[in-house]
Amino acid sequence: QVQLVESGGGTVQPGGSLRLSCTASGRTLSRATMGWFRQSPGKEREFVAIMWRSTGYQYYADSVKGRFTISRDNGGNSVHLQMNNLEPGDTAVYYCAADPTLILSSIYEARHYDYWGQGTQVTVSS
């Protein structure tokens, strides 16, 4: 059974930074696509960033490009999200997601991911 455990959320002022981490256990996900989604109250879960399994290529939502950076380590079983220049609009619960068989055309839709973390709250407020 795969478990994804996130850490690193918190409260930060606008312009600040946070680093989220997610580590997989129960099965190696080094060849899976891994990344991050977020969800704020009353909204659907939205794509933030992922690292494609075969090439390591990074995909980002337009709203976070240039501010967020995704990376992997721990033999590919951990994924991180460095978030800089945070804005109040970034406030949400952030979820780690992974899937070993995802096709490229499906990476932006949460419903296609098999594995999810429990979520970590990020609040950007002055």
Side-chain angles (χ1 to χ4, degrees):
Q1 182 179 358
V2 174
Q3 279 193 315
L4 301 179
V5 179
E6 301 115 332
S7 60
T11 299
V12 65
Q13 292 186 342
S17 299
L18 284 173
R19 178 178 168 88
L20 305 183
S21 295
C22 170
T23 298
S25 63
R27 172 183 172 181
T28 181
L29 293 180
S30 59
R31 294 190 178 188
T33 294
M34 292 186 75
W36 298 89
F37 284 72
R38 67 187 182 188
Q39 189 168 20
S40 49
K43 294 187 177 181
E44 293 188 357
R45 194 167 296 188
E46 66 172 359
F47 169 83
V48 176
I50 64 99
M51 186 171 283
W52 180 242
R53 65 175 184 272
S54 59
T55 63
Y57 193 81
Q58 301 162 24
Y59 295 83
Y60 296 95
D62 288 342
S63 59
V64 307
K65 278 181 184 175
R67 301 188 298 121
F68 291 10
T69 303
I70 189 170
S71 61
R72 290 178 74 163
D73 62 14
N74 190 25
N77 259 9
S78 294
V79 63
H80 310 281
L81 187 68
Q82 178 66 43
M83 305 184 295
N84 297 328
N85 195 20
L86 283 159
E87 304 169 352
D90 296 317
T91 295
V93 177
Y94 284 69
Y95 295 91
C96 177
D99 194 286
T101 62
L102 199 67
I103 60 174
L104 191 55
S105 60
S106 299
I107 61 172
Y108 300 108
E109 297 177 69
R111 61 188 176 95
H112 293 295
Y113 289 76
D114 281 347
Y115 305 118
W116 291 91
Q118 81 284 359
T120 185
Q121 177 70 45
V122 171
T123 303
V124 185
S125 174
S126 55

